[in-house]
Amino acid sequence: SDVGDYMAAHDGDALAELLEAAQAPKPGPLPLNVSFADELPADFTPPDELLEGVLTVGAASILYGDSNSGKTFAAVDMACAVACGGEWMGRRTEPGLVVYLAAESPASVRSRLQAYQQHHGRRVPDFAIVANPVDLFASDADTTAIVRTVRELERRRGKPARLVIGDTLARLSAGANENSGEDMGLVVKRVDAIREQTGAHFLLIHHSGKNAAQGARGWSGIRAAVDTELEVTDTPQGRCIEVTKQRDLNSKGERIGFRLESVTLGTTKWGTPATSCIVLAADAPAKAQGKRMGEVEGAVIEYLAGVKVGTRKSEVVKHFAGRYEKGPVYRAMKALVTAAAIHEAAGMVCIAEAAK
């Protein structure tokens, strides 16, 4: 045969290897996106920044603080800079469409924008306010609606969406248990879907816990999920936005000072001034010294704050059974005693006056 003649004239083993290779299954695509280190380009591409040194394009962030700390004013001011394509606190921005999910109070967002425009003497283009209630917990319906709305706004304005702001996380996740990873994981998944499908950065506005030193309220996995965390504080020394987490940029720890200035927009039906505020740059106050509490320490402080008298350490451990292992709870109590945040005597602990 032709094959026999060929094998007689050539190396049979080599031909057998060729035949085996021809019959071997072709490599298919990998189930996951894989790249090899030795195939990476020699030139480094820096992160694409939306707000210089603070936010990156298409990422996720959380801006949180106590009630009345000025966090929503700061978010509106930041968003106006993106919509106008101007600088914010001396930092450059990538201009584009802003979509503000005003689930908590659309009227207050509108008034703050009116104050901004009046004070700066210009109209803010490409800043869309969504006044509908938004639910990112119960189903995918509102996630789909947001994506479709963003795409239609992009088509009408002829500009890409750069920033979506969710105000607040509590309103966007009504009915969810804020301390449950199962519940809040669904919300994070839908936030990711919105930013991935639109290409816009998603900034969540959130509240501090009862103990501000513990950080943002609720499930700690939210902090792990975002690329940037911004903490807004209001102290007697002044207001401040601090970068408390930064995944891709080197600005962690930077503090941006600001102050609020009242703007009169009109008069109420009683004839008194109707006002709002605008944000102005200011020197950042000095950072308070002291180690920030961890999640377990903050939870222990919060629990003891609600106990009128001292309680046994074993009871504290029992209270957190199912939420924290007993080892971390005992270590947290020891650290709090060392920091003089709680008192201990004869196996009993109570909150110190300074921590109340």
Side-chain angles (χ1 to χ4, degrees), residues 5 10 55 57 64 70 76 96 99 103 114 117 126 200 231 258 271 295 314 317 332 351 353:
D5 293 342
H10 298 82
L55 304 178
V57 171
Y64 77 95
V76 168
V99 179
Q114 288 174 307
Q117 293 181 139
D126 305 318
E231 181 182 19
F258 71 98
E295 178 184 347
S314 58
V317 171
I351 195 167
E353 285 296 321

Side-chain angles (χ1 to χ4, degrees), residues 79-80 82-85 96-98 117 123-128 157 159:
C80 284
V82 172
C84 294
L97 182 67
V98 173
Q117 293 181 139
R123 309 295 287 180
V124 177
D126 305 318
F127 192 125
R157 291 282 171 152
K159 295 181 180 180

